[in-house]
């Protein structure tokens, strides 16, 4: 009873936030109506964008910025057009009040400011609708649901241009984006389970390990070397003052995931077991003495999906270590997944990701398959 009263009290407060929409850049959408209900007599309308697109989960469209206060959203009512399918979908669903109230009170440990300042609604093919709480340093998925297909007349959808047909509208927006058009011609519609796979949650934590790579044996000399340990040049642990000064030390890790979320907090939370989607981009920073490195990983969509699906199988809640092994002196970097009971970690193929490494702000290594555009590491 006390818990319910506490939630009701938090829901009844007014908050300043914006709302925005998004869709995947290969699957643009158009809105018919979208409302976030914030109480019995209050709703915030999602502003239109022609069309919605961009990176999944990112605020690439327009935002609602009227500097007014609103109650936290309790539900969503949305009808939208999936352009590549030429179909309308409707979602009318409640949102998890307790989860939203709890998350909204989180603050940035460095600045003390609230973590979130936007609510983003994502529209996917086949009726998938996501809702995120968004902040510059953290974005969290709070809802992923599926709506039903429905019929909307063009008189309803475009009252000022009732002579336009659904095919005309969809064809216009498809042909307006060469990437969308070419992808449809080459690959057709995306698999029905693609976005369900994007949004699927797994239990894992990151472990950054510093080691010595033996090129002859094609193996690591030490399996468990982290920032709390030192080793001498022959691979043995050492406690000399010189070795302590050159010992690699982990600074932070940042992530952006295929489920549209990101975490740049540097609060150590990513090093603990947590539920998350599959990695899309990672940034790992460490130092040794006065030298500093940052490694950036970009994951290939299909490859990393296959890696996670094979490793987790039907048990996405299996606690897993996402290991990042580093020998910066030899430019050796290895990613692997490990769970209790395995004899060895399962190494992730180098074909599943691209890698770029900077040392003291200058590029020092890139993988052979690297083809990211200039400045891609700024995110």
């Amino acid at each position: 009873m006390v818990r319910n009263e506490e939630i009701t009290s938090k829901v009844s407060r007014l908050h300043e936030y914006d709302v925005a929409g998004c869709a995947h850049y290969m699957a643009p959408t158009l809105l018919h109506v979208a409302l976030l209900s914030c109480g019995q007599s209050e709703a915030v309308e999602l502003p239109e964008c022609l069309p919605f697109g961009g990176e999944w989960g990112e605020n690439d469209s327009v935002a609602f910025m009227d500097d007014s206060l609103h109650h936290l959203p309790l539900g969503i009512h949305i009808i939208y057009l999936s352009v590549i399918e030429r179909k309308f979908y409707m979602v009318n669903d409640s949102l998890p009040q307790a989860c939203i109230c709890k998350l909204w009170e989180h603050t940035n440990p460095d600045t003390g400011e609230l973590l979130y300042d936007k609510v983003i609604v994502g529209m996917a093919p086949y009726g998938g609708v996501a809702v995120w709480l968004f902040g510059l340093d953290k974005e969290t998925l709070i809802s992923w649901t599926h709506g039903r297909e429905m019929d909307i007349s063009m008189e309803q959808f475009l009252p000022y241009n009732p002579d336009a047909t659904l095919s005309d509208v969809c064809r216009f927006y498809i042909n307006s984006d060469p990437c969308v058009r070419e992808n449809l011609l080459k690959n057709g519609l995306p698999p029905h389970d693609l976005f369900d796979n994007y949004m699927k949650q797994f239990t894992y934590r990151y472990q950054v390990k510093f080691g010595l790579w033996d090129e002859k044996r094609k193996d690591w000399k030490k399996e468990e070397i982290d920032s709390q340990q030192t080793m001498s040049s022959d691979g043995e642990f050492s406690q000399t003052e010189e070795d302590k000064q050159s010992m690699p030390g982990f600074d932070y890790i940042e992530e952006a995931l295929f489920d549209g979320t990101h975490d740049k907090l540097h609060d150590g939370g990513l090093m603990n077991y947590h539920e998350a989607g599959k990695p899309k981009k990672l940034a790992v920073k460490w130092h040794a003495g006065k030298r500093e490195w940052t490694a950036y990983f970009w994951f290939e969509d299909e490859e990393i999906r296959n890696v996670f699906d094979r490793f987790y199988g039907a048990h996405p809640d299996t606690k897993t270590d996402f290991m990042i092994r580093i020998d910066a002196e030899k430019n050796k970097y290895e990613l692997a997944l490990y769970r209790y009971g395995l004899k060895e970690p399962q190494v992730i193929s180098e074909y599943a990701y691209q890698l770029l490494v900077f040392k003291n702000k200058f590029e020092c290594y890139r993988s052979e398959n690297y083809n990211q555009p200039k400045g891609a590491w700024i995110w």
Side-chain angles (χ1 to χ4, degrees), residues 138-161:
K138 178 85 170 178
E139 183 171 12
T140 300
L141 176 69
I142 61 171
S143 175
W144 169 246
T145 188
H146 284 273
R148 62 178 178 87
E149 186 180 340
M150 68 179 305
D151 293 325
I152 297 290
S153 69
M154 295 309 290
E155 288 81 4
Q156 292 173 294
F157 187 58
L158 291 176
Y160 300 108
N161 191 9

PDB file of all heavy atoms in Angstrom, residues 138-161:
ATOM      1  N   LYS A 138      23.014   8.704 -20.913  1.00  0.00           N
ATOM      2  CA  LYS A 138      22.356   7.424 -20.642  1.00  0.00           C
ATOM      3  C   LYS A 138      21.010   7.387 -21.346  1.00  0.00           C
ATOM      4  O   LYS A 138      20.252   8.364 -21.324  1.00  0.00           O
ATOM      5  CB  LYS A 138      22.151   7.266 -19.121  1.00  0.00           C
ATOM      6  CG  LYS A 138      21.437   5.993 -18.699  1.00  0.00           C
ATOM      7  CD  LYS A 138      22.369   4.818 -18.556  1.00  0.00           C
ATOM      8  CE  LYS A 138      21.673   3.641 -17.901  1.00  0.00           C
ATOM      9  NZ  LYS A 138      22.530   2.457 -17.795  1.00  0.00           N
ATOM     10  N   GLU A 139      20.728   6.262 -21.971  1.00  0.00           N
ATOM     11  CA  GLU A 139      19.406   6.027 -22.543  1.00  0.00           C
ATOM     12  C   GLU A 139      18.954   4.634 -22.138  1.00  0.00           C
ATOM     13  O   GLU A 139      19.733   3.671 -22.221  1.00  0.00           O
ATOM     14  CB  GLU A 139      19.417   6.149 -24.067  1.00  0.00           C
ATOM     15  CG  GLU A 139      18.037   5.981 -24.688  1.00  0.00           C
ATOM     16  CD  GLU A 139      18.019   6.314 -26.171  1.00  0.00           C
ATOM     17  OE1 GLU A 139      19.110   6.454 -26.764  1.00  0.00           O
ATOM     18  OE2 GLU A 139      16.915   6.435 -26.737  1.00  0.00           O
ATOM     19  N   THR A 140      17.700   4.522 -21.703  1.00  0.00           N
ATOM     20  CA  THR A 140      17.189   3.265 -21.160  1.00  0.00           C
ATOM     21  C   THR A 140      15.888   2.886 -21.858  1.00  0.00           C
ATOM     22  O   THR A 140      14.998   3.724 -22.030  1.00  0.00           O
ATOM     23  CB  THR A 140      16.941   3.398 -19.648  1.00  0.00           C
ATOM     24  OG1 THR A 140      18.169   3.731 -18.997  1.00  0.00           O
ATOM     25  CG2 THR A 140      16.410   2.088 -19.075  1.00  0.00           C
ATOM     26  N   LEU A 141      15.788   1.640 -22.239  1.00  0.00           N
ATOM     27  CA  LEU A 141      14.565   1.106 -22.845  1.00  0.00           C
ATOM     28  C   LEU A 141      13.558   0.798 -21.747  1.00  0.00           C
ATOM     29  O   LEU A 141      13.874   0.097 -20.788  1.00  0.00           O
ATOM     30  CB  LEU A 141      14.889  -0.166 -23.632  1.00  0.00           C
ATOM     31  CG  LEU A 141      13.705  -0.909 -24.256  1.00  0.00           C
ATOM     32  CD1 LEU A 141      13.105  -0.100 -25.393  1.00  0.00           C
ATOM     33  CD2 LEU A 141      14.154  -2.285 -24.745  1.00  0.00           C
ATOM     34  N   ILE A 142      12.342   1.322 -21.887  1.00  0.00           N
ATOM     35  CA  ILE A 142      11.328   1.048 -20.865  1.00  0.00           C
ATOM     36  C   ILE A 142      10.164   0.228 -21.400  1.00  0.00           C
ATOM     37  O   ILE A 142       9.391  -0.333 -20.624  1.00  0.00           O
ATOM     38  CB  ILE A 142      10.791   2.352 -20.225  1.00  0.00           C
ATOM     39  CG1 ILE A 142      10.119   3.244 -21.269  1.00  0.00           C
ATOM     40  CG2 ILE A 142      11.896   3.090 -19.498  1.00  0.00           C
ATOM     41  CD1 ILE A 142       9.396   4.429 -20.666  1.00  0.00           C
ATOM     42  N   SER A 143      10.041   0.146 -22.745  1.00  0.00           N
ATOM     43  CA  SER A 143       8.925  -0.607 -23.292  1.00  0.00           C
ATOM     44  C   SER A 143       9.210  -1.024 -24.723  1.00  0.00           C
ATOM     45  O   SER A 143       9.742  -0.229 -25.513  1.00  0.00           O
ATOM     46  CB  SER A 143       7.636   0.240 -23.248  1.00  0.00           C
ATOM     47  OG  SER A 143       6.563  -0.431 -23.869  1.00  0.00           O
ATOM     48  N   TRP A 144       8.870  -2.257 -25.053  1.00  0.00           N
ATOM     49  CA  TRP A 144       8.907  -2.756 -26.432  1.00  0.00           C
ATOM     50  C   TRP A 144       7.660  -3.610 -26.615  1.00  0.00           C
ATOM     51  O   TRP A 144       7.463  -4.597 -25.918  1.00  0.00           O
ATOM     52  CB  TRP A 144      10.165  -3.581 -26.695  1.00  0.00           C
ATOM     53  CG  TRP A 144      10.152  -4.339 -27.992  1.00  0.00           C
ATOM     54  CD1 TRP A 144      10.128  -5.685 -28.154  1.00  0.00           C
ATOM     55  CD2 TRP A 144      10.182  -3.780 -29.328  1.00  0.00           C
ATOM     56  NE1 TRP A 144      10.132  -6.014 -29.488  1.00  0.00           N
ATOM     57  CE2 TRP A 144      10.164  -4.863 -30.239  1.00  0.00           C
ATOM     58  CE3 TRP A 144      10.194  -2.473 -29.830  1.00  0.00           C
ATOM     59  CZ2 TRP A 144      10.174  -4.678 -31.621  1.00  0.00           C
ATOM     60  CZ3 TRP A 144      10.205  -2.285 -31.206  1.00  0.00           C
ATOM     61  CH2 TRP A 144      10.202  -3.370 -32.079  1.00  0.00           C
ATOM     62  N   THR A 145       6.800  -3.183 -27.526  1.00  0.00           N
ATOM     63  CA  THR A 145       5.527  -3.868 -27.700  1.00  0.00           C
ATOM     64  C   THR A 145       5.167  -3.923 -29.171  1.00  0.00           C
ATOM     65  O   THR A 145       5.781  -3.233 -30.007  1.00  0.00           O
ATOM     66  CB  THR A 145       4.418  -3.145 -26.902  1.00  0.00           C
ATOM     67  OG1 THR A 145       3.230  -3.917 -26.933  1.00  0.00           O
ATOM     68  CG2 THR A 145       4.136  -1.772 -27.495  1.00  0.00           C
ATOM     69  N   HIS A 146       4.160  -4.730 -29.500  1.00  0.00           N
ATOM     70  CA  HIS A 146       3.704  -4.864 -30.884  1.00  0.00           C
ATOM     71  C   HIS A 146       2.245  -4.449 -30.992  1.00  0.00           C
ATOM     72  O   HIS A 146       1.422  -4.820 -30.162  1.00  0.00           O
ATOM     73  CB  HIS A 146       3.860  -6.312 -31.369  1.00  0.00           C
ATOM     74  CG  HIS A 146       5.260  -6.680 -31.693  1.00  0.00           C
ATOM     75  ND1 HIS A 146       5.821  -6.466 -32.924  1.00  0.00           N
ATOM     76  CD2 HIS A 146       6.234  -7.244 -30.936  1.00  0.00           C
ATOM     77  CE1 HIS A 146       7.079  -6.885 -32.923  1.00  0.00           C
ATOM     78  NE2 HIS A 146       7.349  -7.353 -31.722  1.00  0.00           N
ATOM     79  N   GLY A 147       1.955  -3.681 -32.030  1.00  0.00           N
ATOM     80  CA  GLY A 147       0.590  -3.286 -32.293  1.00  0.00           C
ATOM     81  C   GLY A 147      -0.037  -4.173 -33.346  1.00  0.00           C
ATOM     82  O   GLY A 147       0.577  -5.116 -33.850  1.00  0.00           O
ATOM     83  N   ARG A 148      -1.244  -3.812 -33.711  1.00  0.00           N
ATOM     84  CA  ARG A 148      -1.956  -4.591 -34.732  1.00  0.00           C
ATOM     85  C   ARG A 148      -2.088  -3.767 -36.000  1.00  0.00           C
ATOM     86  O   ARG A 148      -2.129  -2.537 -35.985  1.00  0.00           O
ATOM     87  CB  ARG A 148      -3.345  -4.979 -34.225  1.00  0.00           C
ATOM     88  CG  ARG A 148      -4.277  -3.819 -33.914  1.00  0.00           C
ATOM     89  CD  ARG A 148      -5.633  -4.317 -33.470  1.00  0.00           C
ATOM     90  NE  ARG A 148      -6.542  -3.224 -33.126  1.00  0.00           N
ATOM     91  CZ  ARG A 148      -7.307  -2.598 -34.014  1.00  0.00           C
ATOM     92  NH1 ARG A 148      -7.279  -2.952 -35.304  1.00  0.00           N
ATOM     93  NH2 ARG A 148      -8.121  -1.622 -33.627  1.00  0.00           N
ATOM     94  N   GLU A 149      -2.141  -4.475 -37.118  1.00  0.00           N
ATOM     95  CA  GLU A 149      -2.339  -3.814 -38.397  1.00  0.00           C
ATOM     96  C   GLU A 149      -3.770  -3.290 -38.488  1.00  0.00           C
ATOM     97  O   GLU A 149      -4.704  -3.927 -37.983  1.00  0.00           O
ATOM     98  CB  GLU A 149      -2.061  -4.804 -39.520  1.00  0.00           C
ATOM     99  CG  GLU A 149      -2.090  -4.200 -40.906  1.00  0.00           C
ATOM    100  CD  GLU A 149      -1.813  -5.232 -41.985  1.00  0.00           C
ATOM    101  OE1 GLU A 149      -1.242  -6.308 -41.662  1.00  0.00           O
ATOM    102  OE2 GLU A 149      -2.175  -4.960 -43.148  1.00  0.00           O
ATOM    103  N   MET A 150      -3.944  -2.124 -39.113  1.00  0.00           N
ATOM    104  CA  MET A 150      -5.284  -1.573 -39.233  1.00  0.00           C
ATOM    105  C   MET A 150      -5.419  -0.819 -40.554  1.00  0.00           C
ATOM    106  O   MET A 150      -4.417  -0.452 -41.199  1.00  0.00           O
ATOM    107  CB  MET A 150      -5.603  -0.659 -38.055  1.00  0.00           C
ATOM    108  CG  MET A 150      -4.803   0.628 -37.995  1.00  0.00           C
ATOM    109  SD  MET A 150      -5.259   1.664 -36.594  1.00  0.00           S
ATOM    110  CE  MET A 150      -7.027   1.836 -36.832  1.00  0.00           C
ATOM    111  N   ASP A 151      -6.660  -0.594 -40.952  1.00  0.00           N
ATOM    112  CA  ASP A 151      -6.949   0.138 -42.190  1.00  0.00           C
ATOM    113  C   ASP A 151      -7.220   1.604 -41.874  1.00  0.00           C
ATOM    114  O   ASP A 151      -8.037   1.918 -41.003  1.00  0.00           O
ATOM    115  CB  ASP A 151      -8.155  -0.473 -42.899  1.00  0.00           C
ATOM    116  CG  ASP A 151      -7.876  -1.875 -43.423  1.00  0.00           C
ATOM    117  OD1 ASP A 151      -6.734  -2.117 -43.851  1.00  0.00           O
ATOM    118  OD2 ASP A 151      -8.789  -2.719 -43.380  1.00  0.00           O
ATOM    119  N   ILE A 152      -6.541   2.471 -42.586  1.00  0.00           N
ATOM    120  CA  ILE A 152      -6.766   3.915 -42.493  1.00  0.00           C
ATOM    121  C   ILE A 152      -6.992   4.418 -43.913  1.00  0.00           C
ATOM    122  O   ILE A 152      -6.174   4.170 -44.813  1.00  0.00           O
ATOM    123  CB  ILE A 152      -5.562   4.643 -41.866  1.00  0.00           C
ATOM    124  CG1 ILE A 152      -5.339   4.191 -40.423  1.00  0.00           C
ATOM    125  CG2 ILE A 152      -5.754   6.161 -41.928  1.00  0.00           C
ATOM    126  CD1 ILE A 152      -6.393   4.660 -39.451  1.00  0.00           C
ATOM    127  N   SER A 153      -8.076   5.110 -44.147  1.00  0.00           N
ATOM    128  CA  SER A 153      -8.341   5.655 -45.479  1.00  0.00           C
ATOM    129  C   SER A 153      -7.435   6.852 -45.729  1.00  0.00           C
ATOM    130  O   SER A 153      -6.990   7.534 -44.798  1.00  0.00           O
ATOM    131  CB  SER A 153      -9.806   6.069 -45.601  1.00  0.00           C
ATOM    132  OG  SER A 153     -10.066   7.208 -44.788  1.00  0.00           O
ATOM    133  N   MET A 154      -7.174   7.128 -46.997  1.00  0.00           N
ATOM    134  CA  MET A 154      -6.343   8.276 -47.334  1.00  0.00           C
ATOM    135  C   MET A 154      -7.049   9.580 -47.007  1.00  0.00           C
ATOM    136  O   MET A 154      -6.405  10.603 -46.769  1.00  0.00           O
ATOM    137  CB  MET A 154      -5.951   8.215 -48.807  1.00  0.00           C
ATOM    138  CG  MET A 154      -5.049   7.024 -49.149  1.00  0.00           C
ATOM    139  SD  MET A 154      -3.595   6.883 -48.050  1.00  0.00           S
ATOM    140  CE  MET A 154      -2.637   8.292 -48.586  1.00  0.00           C
ATOM    141  N   GLU A 155      -8.387   9.565 -46.981  1.00  0.00           N
ATOM    142  CA  GLU A 155      -9.116  10.767 -46.560  1.00  0.00           C
ATOM    143  C   GLU A 155      -8.836  11.089 -45.102  1.00  0.00           C
ATOM    144  O   GLU A 155      -8.765  12.259 -44.709  1.00  0.00           O
ATOM    145  CB  GLU A 155     -10.629  10.566 -46.758  1.00  0.00           C
ATOM    146  CG  GLU A 155     -11.076  10.586 -48.208  1.00  0.00           C
ATOM    147  CD  GLU A 155     -10.835   9.249 -48.907  1.00  0.00           C
ATOM    148  OE1 GLU A 155     -10.393   8.290 -48.214  1.00  0.00           O
ATOM    149  OE2 GLU A 155     -11.082   9.158 -50.113  1.00  0.00           O
ATOM    150  N   GLN A 156      -8.643  10.030 -44.301  1.00  0.00           N
ATOM    151  CA  GLN A 156      -8.290  10.240 -42.894  1.00  0.00           C
ATOM    152  C   GLN A 156      -6.821  10.631 -42.748  1.00  0.00           C
ATOM    153  O   GLN A 156      -6.475  11.521 -41.959  1.00  0.00           O
ATOM    154  CB  GLN A 156      -8.555   8.963 -42.085  1.00  0.00           C
ATOM    155  CG  GLN A 156      -9.999   8.579 -41.931  1.00  0.00           C
ATOM    156  CD  GLN A 156     -10.138   7.225 -41.256  1.00  0.00           C
ATOM    157  OE1 GLN A 156      -9.753   6.183 -41.795  1.00  0.00           O
ATOM    158  NE2 GLN A 156     -10.681   7.236 -40.041  1.00  0.00           N
ATOM    159  N   PHE A 157      -5.961   9.966 -43.498  1.00  0.00           N
ATOM    160  CA  PHE A 157      -4.521  10.155 -43.338  1.00  0.00           C
ATOM    161  C   PHE A 157      -4.056  11.463 -43.966  1.00  0.00           C
ATOM    162  O   PHE A 157      -3.227  12.179 -43.389  1.00  0.00           O
ATOM    163  CB  PHE A 157      -3.775   8.970 -43.960  1.00  0.00           C
ATOM    164  CG  PHE A 157      -2.302   8.979 -43.710  1.00  0.00           C
ATOM    165  CD1 PHE A 157      -1.793   8.985 -42.423  1.00  0.00           C
ATOM    166  CD2 PHE A 157      -1.409   8.988 -44.777  1.00  0.00           C
ATOM    167  CE1 PHE A 157      -0.429   8.999 -42.191  1.00  0.00           C
ATOM    168  CE2 PHE A 157      -0.039   8.996 -44.557  1.00  0.00           C
ATOM    169  CZ  PHE A 157       0.449   9.000 -43.257  1.00  0.00           C
ATOM    170  N   LEU A 158      -4.569  11.781 -45.147  1.00  0.00           N
ATOM    171  CA  LEU A 158      -4.192  13.014 -45.835  1.00  0.00           C
ATOM    172  C   LEU A 158      -5.459  13.771 -46.244  1.00  0.00           C
ATOM    173  O   LEU A 158      -5.839  13.789 -47.419  1.00  0.00           O
ATOM    174  CB  LEU A 158      -3.339  12.703 -47.077  1.00  0.00           C
ATOM    175  CG  LEU A 158      -1.940  12.158 -46.840  1.00  0.00           C
ATOM    176  CD1 LEU A 158      -1.284  11.824 -48.168  1.00  0.00           C
ATOM    177  CD2 LEU A 158      -1.075  13.136 -46.067  1.00  0.00           C
ATOM    178  N   PRO A 159      -6.125  14.398 -45.287  1.00  0.00           N
ATOM    179  CA  PRO A 159      -7.394  15.076 -45.600  1.00  0.00           C
ATOM    180  C   PRO A 159      -7.238  16.223 -46.595  1.00  0.00           C
ATOM    181  O   PRO A 159      -8.194  16.580 -47.280  1.00  0.00           O
ATOM    182  CB  PRO A 159      -7.873  15.580 -44.239  1.00  0.00           C
ATOM    183  CG  PRO A 159      -6.643  15.633 -43.390  1.00  0.00           C
ATOM    184  CD  PRO A 159      -5.786  14.516 -43.860  1.00  0.00           C
ATOM    185  N   TYR A 160      -6.019  16.781 -46.683  1.00  0.00           N
ATOM    186  CA  TYR A 160      -5.804  17.892 -47.604  1.00  0.00           C
ATOM    187  C   TYR A 160      -5.353  17.421 -48.982  1.00  0.00           C
ATOM    188  O   TYR A 160      -5.171  18.230 -49.884  1.00  0.00           O
ATOM    189  CB  TYR A 160      -4.764  18.865 -47.024  1.00  0.00           C
ATOM    190  CG  TYR A 160      -5.181  19.445 -45.693  1.00  0.00           C
ATOM    191  CD1 TYR A 160      -4.564  19.051 -44.520  1.00  0.00           C
ATOM    192  CD2 TYR A 160      -6.217  20.383 -45.635  1.00  0.00           C
ATOM    193  CE1 TYR A 160      -4.967  19.570 -43.294  1.00  0.00           C
ATOM    194  CE2 TYR A 160      -6.618  20.915 -44.416  1.00  0.00           C
ATOM    195  CZ  TYR A 160      -5.997  20.497 -43.249  1.00  0.00           C
ATOM    196  OH  TYR A 160      -6.397  21.008 -42.063  1.00  0.00           O
ATOM    197  N   ASN A 161      -5.154  16.124 -49.128  1.00  0.00           N
ATOM    198  CA  ASN A 161      -4.771  15.568 -50.426  1.00  0.00           C
ATOM    199  C   ASN A 161      -5.418  14.195 -50.584  1.00  0.00           C
ATOM    200  O   ASN A 161      -4.742  13.174 -50.700  1.00  0.00           O
ATOM    201  CB  ASN A 161      -3.247  15.454 -50.529  1.00  0.00           C
ATOM    202  CG  ASN A 161      -2.786  15.130 -51.934  1.00  0.00           C
ATOM    203  OD1 ASN A 161      -3.566  15.149 -52.880  1.00  0.00           O
ATOM    204  ND2 ASN A 161      -1.505  14.814 -52.072  1.00  0.00           N
TER     205      ASN A 161
END
